Amino acid sequence: GLAFPTSLLLAAGVTALIAMLVGTPALRMTGLFLAVTTLALAVAAPWLLSRPVFADDPSLILLPRQQWLGISLASQRAYYYVCLGVLALTIVAVARIRRSGLGRTMLAVRDNEQSAAALGLSPVRTKLVAFGISGFLAGLAGGLFGGLLVSYEPGRFLVTDSLSVVAIAVVGGLASITGTVLGALLIIGFPAFFPDNPEVGLLTSGAGILLLLMYLPGGLVQILYGVRDLVLGWVAARRPEPEAAPKVLPTGAGHLPERPLPPEGAAGLVVVGVRVRFGARAVVDDVDLRVERGEVVGLIGANGAGKSTLMNAIGGFVPADGRFEVLGTDVTGRAPHRRAAAGLGRSFQGAELFGDLTVGETVAVALESRAHAGLLSVTLGLPKARRMDRAVRAQTDEILTFLGLGPYRERFISELSTGTRRIVELACLLAAEARLLCLDEPTAGIAQRESEAFGPLLLRLREELSASLLVIEHDMPLVMAISDRIYCLEAGRLIAEGTPDEVRNDPHVIASYLGTDEEAIARSGTTD
């Protein structure tokens, strides 16, 4: 008995809620397993829709089109234009979301959930929002589909329809709006345009799709990207040769604006009685550790000593017993993004970040972990969303300039060298306003020349942020040069603590980590 537009919006809203409810228990799954889990609802849909709660006669459901704005929707042509208009509006809305902080956040969580959490983003909240948006679009499309059929049975909604939607996204190109349209044209459009053409039937069959993905793993949109790159390459070849990009780590210039200082007297990090067990094995056993405000503390030890596991426990990425205090705040039991909100910043050995985002977008994600425009404001393009986007861009440019990353702004993370990705990681920690930086092998995988430039850069960041640093590092000259104090781990237990001179001359450290090799000892600066 509702008007057709009202029933459409109601269907979209209810389906958004259902999608979030279905998504909540499915959040423990990732990737393919998540897709299979959500397909379970599609399997159950015919039975659910046949329940009397949906219709007095569950064998037949009616959705008459009626009129909209005085225009009769009875004819197929009129209804086609309504569907086409809704499609156009949906594309505009989704494109706005993709360009917004919310869209960047979704891609960041998809690409690297752990790094996203370390920047203060809540993966659970982000996934649920994504489920809600997807459910809204699915409900809107389902309502339009119901209006197209007018009368239909619950069994009309088959699992194969859901599989077709997945195929459209994969064949067109994931995370690409244009690719999705191209995928729909291939999977749905071509068979409708050429119903009796065997070649088209073969192309859109399972075998044809597999063959297509073998040559175009990025989907049909990969063709457009290839054409774009050829055109841009042709244009670039006819322009003056730009100045070569630096091969060493950029160090930037200038200073960041003044930022609020952490609480007076609060230590950067306090770790008390931390234990981490994997099954029966204790990887970290009763470790106490302290990093004072503005202090640089090194954490050394042989591979397998438990250094990264201890840092993961500090960040909340592994279950651990003990107490953790960050900048005077007890964060024991908090999720990683809650610890990041308290001022904890974390980098990882691989420096993978978010491969599908540019350098500028990656830094913007860190900025938006503190505040971003709401979904409705972004979708409608309201002034508030535009103002926040301009503010994020200005702050991003400021941070990139400070670290000398301006020339890399539009480069994708996947295109960068390891050394430059390390600097982008530091830029993200700056953007997130971290006051305690936990850096896991920040010079791993970079050349010696770049490694030598990293130490002064870390000390400069400490001064600019009034930050405390806990650094895991195997480069002994670097960690000895920048550290005020050093802890050494062996088999999950602390075996030494003190100044660099005290630790590198400690016989237990020499026996456990530095060894008796004269060259290694000389390189670490040990004189005994």
Side-chain angles (χ1 to χ4, degrees):
L2 296 177
F4 185 66
T6 305
S7 63
L8 279 182
L9 293 177
L10 184 60
V14 170
T15 312
L17 293 176
I18 293 174
M20 295 175 73
L21 289 174
V22 172
T24 301
L27 289 176
R28 297 182 181 182
M29 307 286 186
T30 58
L32 180 61
F33 292 104
L34 177 61
V36 172
T37 301
T38 54
L39 278 175
L41 182 63
V43 175
W47 180 84
L48 290 172
L49 292 177
S50 66
R51 300 301 91 194
V53 68
F54 290 105
D56 294 333
D57 182 3
S59 65
L60 189 66
I61 300 175
L62 300 176
L63 187 61
R65 300 177 196 164
Q66 304 170 341
Q67 291 187 346
W68 191 8
L69 301 178
I71 302 173
S72 174
L73 302 181
S75 73
Q76 293 288 79
R77 179 180 294 274
Y79 194 70
Y80 167 78
Y81 286 123
V82 169
C83 294
L84 190 62
V86 173
L87 172 64
L89 291 175
T90 301
I91 289 175
V92 171
V94 173
R96 284 177 173 170
I97 293 173
R98 168 60 184 89
R99 292 194 298 267
S100 71
L102 179 59
R104 290 188 287 266
T105 297
M106 289 180 185
L107 289 179
V109 170
R110 185 200 69 183
D111 281 356
N112 192 331
E113 186 173 318
Q114 194 174 57
S115 291
L119 293 178
L121 302 174
S122 171
V124 171
R125 178 181 177 276
T126 302
K127 289 179 181 179
L128 286 178
V129 170
F131 268 103
I133 294 173
S134 300
F136 185 90
L137 296 176
L140 187 63
L144 290 170
F145 183 59
L148 174 67
L149 299 176
V150 180
S151 63
Y152 53 95
E153 295 181 355
R156 182 63 181 81
F157 294 95
L158 304 174
V159 178
T160 52
D161 296 331
S162 296
L163 295 176
S164 294
V165 173
V166 175
I168 286 171
V170 173
V171 169
L174 293 172
S176 169
I177 300 170
T178 303
T180 303
V181 175
L182 293 176
L185 286 174
L186 177 68
I187 302 297
I188 306 296
F190 275 20
F193 294 148
F194 310 103
D196 300 321
N197 190 309
E199 287 78 13
V200 170
L202 177 62
L203 178 63
T204 57
S205 67
I209 291 174
L210 287 175
L211 189 63
L212 176 69
L213 292 177
M214 284 179 59
Y215 291 96
L216 297 172
L220 294 172
V221 75
Q222 186 176 336
I223 300 175
L224 298 183
Y225 289 158
V227 173
R228 179 200 62 185
D229 292 343
L230 285 175
V231 172
L232 293 178
W234 180 82
V235 173
R238 282 154 178 75
R239 298 184 65 181
E241 188 71 22
E243 188 174 324
K247 294 185 179 180
V248 297
L249 294 181
T251 55
H255 296 273
L256 292 171
E258 292 291 332
R259 304 187 182 201
L261 295 175
E264 285 288 344
L269 174 66
V270 177
V271 172
V272 180
V274 172
R275 290 184 176 87
V276 179
R277 289 185 173 274
F278 295 145
R281 181 187 173 212
V283 182
V284 177
D285 191 5
D286 196 23
V287 170
D288 294 344
L289 184 147
R290 187 179 183 93
V291 181
E292 299 295 345
R293 175 177 170 179
E295 189 179 29
V296 178
V297 172
L299 184 59
I300 64 173
N303 289 331
K307 305 183 299 298
S308 294
T309 301
L310 174 59
M311 195 168 277
N312 283 335
I314 293 170
F317 293 102
V318 296
D321 298 323
R323 183 170 66 86
F324 303 93
E325 189 177 297
V326 173
L327 301 170
T329 301
D330 190 342
V331 297
T332 306
R334 293 191 185 183
H337 69 280
R338 297 289 186 188
R339 302 189 188 202
L344 172 62
R346 171 74 198 277
S347 72
F348 298 90
Q349 290 182 20
E352 295 171 353
L353 291 173
F354 318 114
D356 284 344
L357 296 182
T358 65
V359 170
E361 288 176 329
T362 300
V363 175
V365 163
L367 288 167
E368 286 148 351
S369 65
R370 291 182 278 121
H372 57 75
L375 175 60
L376 185 62
S377 179
V378 167
T379 305
L380 298 179
L382 299 181
K384 178 183 177 182
R386 293 197 294 269
R387 284 196 304 270
M388 293 192 70
D389 188 61
R390 287 195 296 269
V392 167
R393 284 180 173 274
Q395 289 178 282
T396 299
D397 290 340
E398 186 178 75
I399 293 171
L400 294 180
T401 300
F402 171 72
L403 289 173
L405 290 169
Y408 299 90
R409 194 186 203 289
E410 301 302 326
R411 296 277 296 275
F412 284 98
I413 296 296
S414 57
E415 299 174 347
L416 302 179
S417 67
T418 302
T420 307
R421 288 204 308 271
R422 299 284 183 192
I423 301 299
V424 177
E425 272 192 324
L426 296 181
C428 291
L429 297 180
L430 281 174
E433 295 189 354
R435 299 292 188 178
L436 169 66
L437 309 185
C438 293
L439 310 179
D440 194 348
E441 297 191 36
T443 64
I446 65 177
Q448 182 63 32
R449 184 182 176 189
E450 293 180 329
S451 177
E452 292 169 356
F454 217 95
L457 181 57
L458 293 179
L459 296 177
R460 187 178 176 205
L461 286 178
R462 178 186 66 170
E463 297 302 323
E464 291 287 345
L465 291 174
S466 299
S468 308
L469 275 71
L470 177 64
V471 183
I472 296 175
E473 187 52 70
H474 286 292
D475 188 328
M476 287 297 102
L478 172 65
V479 74
M480 294 291 175
I482 67 173
S483 298
D484 300 303
R485 289 186 302 114
I486 291 178
Y487 290 91
C488 183
L489 276 178
E490 180 185 29
R493 285 182 168 272
L494 288 176
I495 61 171
E497 171 197 351
T499 66
D501 282 337
E502 292 171 345
V503 170
R504 69 179 162 218
N505 288 287
D506 188 295
H508 296 294
V509 176
I510 293 175
S512 168
Y513 181 48
L514 296 179
T516 56
D517 182 85
E518 293 183 3
E519 183 179 347
I521 296 174
R523 189 168 183 267
S524 72
T526 304
T527 56
D528 290 359

